[in-house]
Amino acid sequence: MDQTIARVRARYPIARVCTRYESPLGPMLLAASDRGLCGVWFEGQRHGPDATTWREDPGHPVLVETVAQLRAYFAGERTSFDLPLDLQGGTPFQQSVWSALLGIPRGGTTSYAALAREVGKPQAARAIGAAVGRNPVSIVVPCHRVLGTGGSLTGYAGGLERKTALLQLEGALM
């Protein structure tokens, strides 16, 4: 088997189901595995998957609950998510970064450098940035809450306009 195909299959197991969600910030693809929610991507987002082989299942319980919680979040009625997560699609380092992102509260932000210190890799701000950018569960795992030095709005796989809108929704930007 081609190494590229093997890497893709390792990152995105075949046993995934998906559905589409029309968010206020544009169409999204949601994915679940047997373990939980494993994907929330904006359409056209950098590092998004090729889901052409995934089975559509809008009635999957995790996806139904994800849509309900995202609707409440965008309506300003939900401040956190309570969903089973499957983050096994990343390396151990990426998983540690994604876990650290879960500790950033709504309305709060952090920097790449602070996140690097938090995961015990103080010299790895760039590697942290790469891991944040590959977060497969955007919004739920709040990568949009990570800012550049001095609070500058830097990179977001879903686009800076969406990052700005999410931070404004959460009261982190006025």
Side-chain angles (χ1 to χ4, degrees), residues 11 14 19 31 36 48 63 75 105 118 130 137 140-141 146 157 160:
R11 273 188 68 202
I14 293 171
T19 193
L63 299 178
E118 184 176 332
V137 190
V140 175
V141 176
V146 182
L160 284 180

Side-chain angles (χ1 to χ4, degrees), residues 65-95:
E65 185 59 25
T66 300
V67 168
Q69 289 190 27
L70 282 169
R71 282 188 178 130
Y73 167 83
F74 281 115
E77 301 164 356
R78 175 172 278 281
T79 60
S80 63
F81 294 91
D82 183 22
L83 298 161
L85 298 177
D86 177 359
L87 301 176
Q88 69 178 342
T91 67
F93 174 74
Q94 288 172 326
Q95 290 176 31

Side-chain angles (χ1 to χ4, degrees), residues 8-9 11-21 28-32 38-45 47-57 63 136:
V8 169
R9 285 190 178 157
R11 273 188 68 202
Y12 300 111
I14 293 171
R16 284 194 174 194
V17 295
C18 64
T19 193
R20 309 279 174 191
Y21 166 61
M28 300 185 85
L29 174 68
L30 313 178
C38 58
V40 176
W41 299 274
F42 286 102
E43 190 174 283
Q45 172 176 322
H47 312 299
D50 174 4
T52 55
T53 62
W54 297 351
R55 183 173 54 88
E56 291 266 345
D57 186 359
L63 299 178

Side-chain angles (χ1 to χ4, degrees), residues 82-165:
D82 183 22
L83 298 161
L85 298 177
D86 177 359
L87 301 176
Q88 69 178 342
T91 67
F93 174 74
Q94 288 172 326
Q95 290 176 31
S96 72
V97 172
W98 301 337
S99 292
L101 292 172
L102 291 168
I104 308 168
R106 180 185 176 107
T109 60
T110 193
S111 68
Y112 295 99
L115 197 57
R117 288 189 298 275
E118 184 176 332
V119 300
K121 304 281 187 187
Q123 303 302 316
R126 285 185 179 215
I128 294 291
V132 168
R134 294 220 179 247
N135 169 24
V137 190
S138 60
I139 301 176
V140 175
V141 176
C143 52
H144 59 278
R145 296 178 186 156
V146 182
L147 306 176
T149 305
S152 61
L153 286 179
T154 60
Y156 182 64
L160 284 180
E161 308 80 26
R162 288 185 179 125
K163 182 174 188 166
T164 301

